[in-house]
Amino acid sequence: MSIHIKRTATTIHPDQSRVLLRPFTPGDAQRVAGIIGRVMSFPEDRVGPLLDEVSVEFSQRHQNIRSLFLERFEQVRHLMSMDERLSDQRQLLIGSYFLAEYSLESAALFNPSIVPHPDQTSVPPGALRFVLSLRATGEGHISSITFRTGIIHSDHRIEVTTPTGFLTEARQVSNPVYEKPLFGRKLSELGLTCEFTRRVMNTLSESFTLQQLRAGLKAEQPDGATQEDQNAAHGIWTLAQSNCEVQFQAEQEISERVLFPATPSQRNGIEDARFVCFHNDDGTHRYYATFTAFDGRVIMPQLVETSDFLRFRFITLNGPAAENKGMALFPRKIGGRYVMLSRQDNENIYLMYSDNVHFWNERNVLLKPTFPWELVQIGNCGSPIETDAGWLVLSHGVGPMRKYCIGAFLLDRDDPGKVIGRLREPLLKPNENEREGYVPNVVYSCGALLHNGELIIPYGLADHATGFATVPLAEVLDGMNVEVPVLA
């Protein structure tokens, strides 16, 4: 039996009109102070009309724009050279000079992953509401995570909800709580085990806040501290900032929420998020996403978790096996341990086990490039999907002319180190309508899902836009010559 994969008519294109309001700092502190001084020179009767002009032009593009003006003013007011009472209007006007619009999707909107929505109320019979994460790339090739929602209907028709015209960046939780044993283990993995580190850790309780950590660093780092102590302090603080929490407001639609780079390790982008709905042993579930953080020089695999797509926690991944790109977490523990796919050598797919989702120490080769369309390298296209026949994994392969195709293989349910099926030919390869884009000749996914026997595959088109394909699971398994077991 041949595999009948169907491309749907649903395509999500990057929308340059979806803009995010972000801080704008046009130079050093002296220059910022000079700009503030020029705004201060305006007579009061001119301030109001200028503010109204800016507000009218941009208020239809951003919610609560005046509150954002005021917030930005508070961030730069310490650079003012004079201490005088300012009118509310002048404060807002000053703030407007230090904000700028950022077109989140101006270059591309691709690398999608799809998971069931946490809210399935009022869904039509046989349908499933979903959350789709996407890599949005804008000016400066900075990537962030944005979202869409939609419904897979009982006939496998895919309906993506039209997003609103607003975008909002998550706010960092001001004083997150850290667990001392876990934080200490991460410091040890980073090689930060000097006497200074021990002194700082001794000032902290079993659970501590960012404010308490700052106080401990200040107390143990007096004037004239050695370079070694300064380096350790910098490493401790960077680790704390890289393990942070961010929060959206409940009234914001999921399509309005943006996870923009927020930590030092993410400075130049959050790339290729692979979301999975992870089922805990107690019957609850959480959403995890592995992603690649990029600071402009170094790529680093990291994790983000959420239960509701409102509050997100960024987590560093540690251990000698936590390196390179393309990690994908299994949706539940196997044999009491976390399991993850990875690709540390830019060529082969590896399998890893761990007792702690934060730490990954060992890896074993699972699959190597074999067929002509994947001889350059292979990797996963998202977290494994559990089926009666085994763990279905979508893969990507790179062949001649750096052409990316999507394939599939199957792992044993109880022992995922055993490959029990593999497609010899691509499941999906770029057709004539999908070859042109930001990166030609690429189809790529960061996660599919199974619904009513149908595999739903969102995929990037030439690293520019996102489309959807569907295919019966039975046909994929048959293409591997795998028999589905009959359950008692």
Side-chain angles (χ1 to χ4, degrees):
M1 182 172 66
S2 59
I3 299 176
H4 299 94
I5 191 161
K6 176 184 176 183
R7 289 169 166 85
T8 74
T10 302
T11 304
I12 306 174
H13 294 279
D15 183 352
Q16 295 178 347
S17 71
R18 286 171 58 79
V19 289
L20 187 66
L21 208 56
R22 304 215 72 250
F24 170 58
T25 306
D28 59 16
Q30 183 176 0
R31 186 178 177 197
V32 170
I35 296 169
I36 293 174
R38 291 194 283 274
V39 180
M40 289 294 297
S41 69
F42 294 152
E44 193 64 37
D45 62 0
R46 192 180 176 196
V47 170
L50 284 172
L51 177 63
D52 289 342
E53 183 180 330
V54 176
S55 297
V56 168
E57 182 177 1
F58 290 95
S59 60
Q60 298 302 312
R61 297 162 68 89
H62 306 281
Q63 296 169 311
N64 305 315
I65 194 167
R66 292 203 171 203
S67 66
L68 296 174
F69 289 168
L70 182 59
E71 180 181 346
R72 189 64 178 130
F73 167 76
E74 293 295 341
Q75 293 169 354
V76 301
R77 74 180 304 165
H78 67 283
L79 297 173
M80 294 181 61
S81 58
M82 58 192 72
D83 184 17
E84 62 180 272
R85 170 83 178 156
L86 301 183
S87 67
D88 291 344
Q89 288 184 322
R90 194 179 295 271
Q91 292 180 29
L92 294 170
L93 184 62
I94 290 173
S96 73
Y97 277 85
F98 300 101
L99 288 166
E101 290 187 332
Y102 181 83
S103 182
L104 199 76
E105 308 168 5
S106 60
L109 189 64
F110 61 120
N111 288 7
S113 71
I114 188 170
V115 291
H117 196 294
D119 179 11
Q120 295 294 326
T121 58
S122 303
V123 173
L128 178 75
R129 182 177 290 124
F130 63 81
V131 176
L132 185 77
S133 71
L134 297 150
R135 176 181 172 184
T137 302
E139 178 185 353
H141 197 73
I142 295 175
S143 294
S144 54
I145 300 174
T146 187
F147 302 98
R148 299 287 193 277
T149 59
I151 290 178
I152 304 168
H153 291 275
S154 58
D155 60 358
H156 307 133
R157 180 172 51 89
I158 298 168
E159 177 186 352
V160 178
T161 303
T162 302
T164 72
F166 299 110
L167 288 174
T168 305
E169 188 175 349
R171 300 301 180 93
Q172 288 205 33
V173 175
S174 59
N175 209 17
V177 176
Y178 301 86
E179 300 301 322
K180 184 175 178 178
L182 182 60
F183 195 81
R185 184 175 172 184
K186 289 177 178 286
L187 289 173
S188 178
E189 290 279 354
L190 294 171
L192 297 171
T193 54
C194 62
E195 178 59 30
F196 174 82
T197 301
R198 286 189 285 272
R199 293 200 309 269
V200 172
M201 294 300 288
N202 285 338
T203 68
L204 303 171
S205 57
E206 288 301 295
S207 295
F208 62 90
T209 64
L210 195 64
Q211 183 177 351
Q212 290 167 335
L213 176 61
R214 183 187 290 113
L217 287 168
K218 184 176 181 180
E220 298 301 328
Q221 192 181 14
D223 294 337
T226 66
Q227 187 63 50
E228 181 185 11
D229 287 358
Q230 292 179 35
N231 291 341
H234 175 75
I236 293 169
W237 190 247
T238 298
L239 176 64
Q241 288 183 303
S242 297
N243 288 264
C244 66
E245 296 182 42
V246 297
Q247 175 80 50
F248 293 98
Q249 299 301 313
E251 62 268 19
Q252 296 165 342
E253 299 287 339
I254 288 182
S255 65
E256 297 175 357
R257 303 171 196 171
V258 178
L259 292 175
F260 200 83
T263 71
S265 60
Q266 303 169 3
R267 187 175 296 113
N268 279 60
I270 302 174
E271 302 178 356
D272 303 353
R274 289 161 159 81
F275 274 85
V276 62
C277 183
F278 187 88
H279 299 273
N280 298 308
D281 294 338
D282 62 3
T284 62
H285 69 270
R286 292 189 68 78
Y287 297 92
Y288 287 103
T290 54
F291 67 93
T292 302
F294 182 51
D295 68 359
R297 295 181 298 110
V298 178
I299 59 172
M300 183 181 299
Q302 294 191 355
L303 196 69
V304 64
E305 67 171 88
T306 182
S307 61
D308 52 12
F309 288 89
L310 279 172
R311 191 179 183 108
F312 293 81
R313 182 185 179 200
F314 289 103
I315 307 165
T316 54
L317 291 174
N318 298 83
E323 60 178 347
N324 216 311
K325 295 184 175 184
M327 293 187 168
L329 189 67
F330 279 65
R332 64 172 174 85
K333 290 181 179 180
I334 301 174
R337 306 181 74 192
Y338 294 97
V339 190
M340 185 123 74
L341 297 173
S342 59
R343 193 190 66 202
Q344 286 84 353
D345 61 2
N346 290 318
E347 188 168 293
N348 304 302
I349 296 178
Y350 288 77
L351 188 70
M352 305 189 295
Y353 291 89
S354 178
D355 295 324
N356 188 313
V357 73
H358 297 235
F359 296 91
W360 300 89
N361 296 314
E362 298 178 359
R363 67 192 193 208
N364 293 297
V365 175
L366 178 68
L367 218 58
K368 296 182 178 182
T370 302
F371 306 116
W373 55 275
E374 61 177 18
L375 290 185
V376 174
Q377 69 184 46
I378 57 174
N380 69 73
C381 275
S383 291
I385 299 169
E386 189 166 13
T387 74
D388 293 337
W391 294 101
L392 177 66
V393 182
L394 294 185
S395 61
H396 71 266
V398 183
M401 300 298 291
R402 195 174 175 253
K403 180 179 176 181
Y404 276 69
C405 298
I406 295 176
F409 60 92
L410 197 70
L411 305 176
D412 186 88
R413 283 181 73 182
D414 299 319
D415 182 5
K418 293 181 180 179
V419 180
I420 59 176
R422 187 174 182 181
L423 292 181
R424 300 179 63 88
E425 297 294 333
L427 183 63
L428 189 69
K429 55 186 178 181
N431 64 21
E432 287 302 313
N433 297 322
E434 299 167 342
R435 295 186 62 184
E436 314 300 339
Y438 193 60
V439 181
N441 306 308
V442 173
V443 291
Y444 190 92
S445 180
C446 285
L449 63 73
L450 186 63
H451 180 60
N452 293 342
E454 195 82 1
L455 192 60
I456 311 297
I457 309 172
Y459 65 100
L461 314 174
D463 280 5
H464 174 69
T466 293
F468 292 83
T470 66
V471 60
L473 172 65
E475 292 187 10
V476 177
L477 297 177
D478 186 76
M480 301 180 189
N481 296 316
V482 175
E483 294 185 7
V484 179
V486 178
L487 300 181

